[in-house]
Amino acid sequence: MRLGIETNTGIEVAVISQFKRATRDWFARDAAALARDLLGCRLVRVQPDGTRLSGMIVECEAYLGVHDRASHAYAGRRTERNAAMYADPATAYVYFTYGMHYCVNAVCGKVDEPVAVLLRALEPVEGLEIMRELRSKSRARRRETALKDRDLCSGPGKLCQAMAIDRKLNGADLASGDLLFIERPLRRSGKLEVVNTTRVGIDFAGEWKDQLLRWYVKGNEHVSVKG
DNA sequence: ATGACGATTTACT
DNA sequence: GTAAATCGTCATA
C-alpha cells in the first residue's frame, strides 16, 4: 500500500492502491497473453541512491520467437546481444539500437524459448522530476520549456532514458531483483479499455508486420503512436 | 576488416 | 510530411 502519489500537476493526493511484485511464474507463459496483462502494471526502477522511479505500463508488443520475422531471435539467431531472450522468464532483455537508444523487454515463455514483450510506453507515476532531468540530459540542445509529462515515457527509447535503464540492466531479474521489477495491481483497477493492433517499426518483417501483437490502453495520452 | 542496418527520436520543411 | 543523428552488432569476406 502506498499513500500519496505525485500527480501531473505536482499536487500530492492521497490514494489507496495495492500492488505486489510479479513472480517468475507470472512471466512464464506466452508473450501475447503477458503483453495484454502487463497493461496496468507498474514498471519500477530503483536507482543506486534508492530513489524510486515508476510508471504504469500503457503499451506493449509481443515478440513470438524463432518464427517471428520481427524478432531478434528470428530463425533461431542466438548472439551475444540477444542472449537474454533465451534466459529464464522474468529476465530483462535490454538492447541498444539506432546508435543511441535502449529498449527493454520482459522475457517470458520457457527457458531457451526466446519470447519476450517489449515495453513501449508508461504513464509516469513516481519520480517525474527526476525523469524530466534524465530525459533532458541527452538532448542535443537544451530547451527553455520543460518537457511535458507526455514526453517522458511515450516510446520504448524514451522510457529507458526516463527510467535510467541501459545495458547494465540487461539480464536483470524482474521477479526477484531490486533494481528493476514489475508490480501488478491486486485488484483489477477498474475498466481498462485495450486496443489490439499491429506492431511499430517492423516494416521489414513481411507477413509478420500484419499480426496484431501490440496492445495499448485506449485513450491514454502516453501511448507512443496512435492506430 | 568492412559495410549495412536498425523493435527510435528529434528537428526541420 | 521527410531526413538526420549515431554506433554497436552481425553477416560476409
Side-chain angles (χ1 to χ4, degrees), chain A residues 55-67:
Chain A
M56 182 179 79
I57 297 169
V58 297
E59 180 184 352
C60 285
E61 286 177 355
Y63 287 83
L64 302 191
V66 299
H67 301 297

Side-chain angles (χ1 to χ4, degrees), chain A residues 21 42-55 90 92 94 104 126 159-160 162-183:
Chain A
R21 289 284 293 265
R42 277 186 190 170
L43 178 67
V44 181
R45 165 77 167 117
V46 178
Q47 293 189 291
D49 68 357
T51 310
R52 207 178 126 113
L53 307 174
S54 77
V94 179
V104 61
E126 297 171 272
L159 78 87
C160 282
M163 300 277 285
I165 295 168
D166 64 19
R167 70 178 65 249
K168 292 191 294 294
L169 289 173
N170 186 35
D173 183 349
L174 296 173
S176 325
D178 293 325
L179 300 176
L180 184 68
F181 49 88
I182 303 278
E183 289 180 345

Side-chain angles (χ1 to χ4, degrees), chain A residues 148-169:
Chain A
K148 297 171 184 173
D149 291 354
R150 71 177 54 155
D151 288 324
L152 296 178
C153 299
S154 54
K158 296 180 187 178
L159 78 87
C160 282
Q161 220 171 36
M163 300 277 285
I165 295 168
D166 64 19
R167 70 178 65 249
K168 292 191 294 294
L169 289 173

Side-chain angles (χ1 to χ4, degrees), chain A residues 109-142:
Chain A
K110 304 168 185 171
V111 178
D112 267 339
E113 186 185 33
V115 294
V117 175
L118 172 68
L119 306 182
R120 286 193 57 91
L122 310 176
E123 177 176 320
V125 174
E126 297 171 272
L128 274 70
E129 293 316 312
I130 294 170
M131 290 183 186
R132 228 180 297 280
E133 289 172 21
L134 288 164
R135 284 276 295 133
S136 302
K137 227 183 244 178
S138 66
R139 302 193 126 201
R141 294 159 192 168
R142 289 192 214 162

Side-chain angles (χ1 to χ4, degrees), chain A residues 97-109:
Chain A
T97 191
Y98 288 102
M100 62 195 96
H101 300 296
Y102 291 98
C103 295
V104 61
N105 293 254
V107 173
C108 52

Side-chain angles (χ1 to χ4, degrees), chain A residues 174-210:
Chain A
L174 296 173
S176 325
D178 293 325
L179 300 176
L180 184 68
F181 49 88
I182 303 278
E183 289 180 345
R184 59 195 194 93
L186 288 185
R187 299 176 184 178
R188 291 254 169 181
S189 52
K191 300 167 189 171
L192 204 60
E193 275 199 273
V194 171
V195 178
N196 179 208
T197 182
T198 54
R199 294 175 291 183
V200 176
I202 54 155
D203 290 344
F204 59 85
E207 297 177 356
W208 280 87
K209 79 180 194 302
D210 299 320

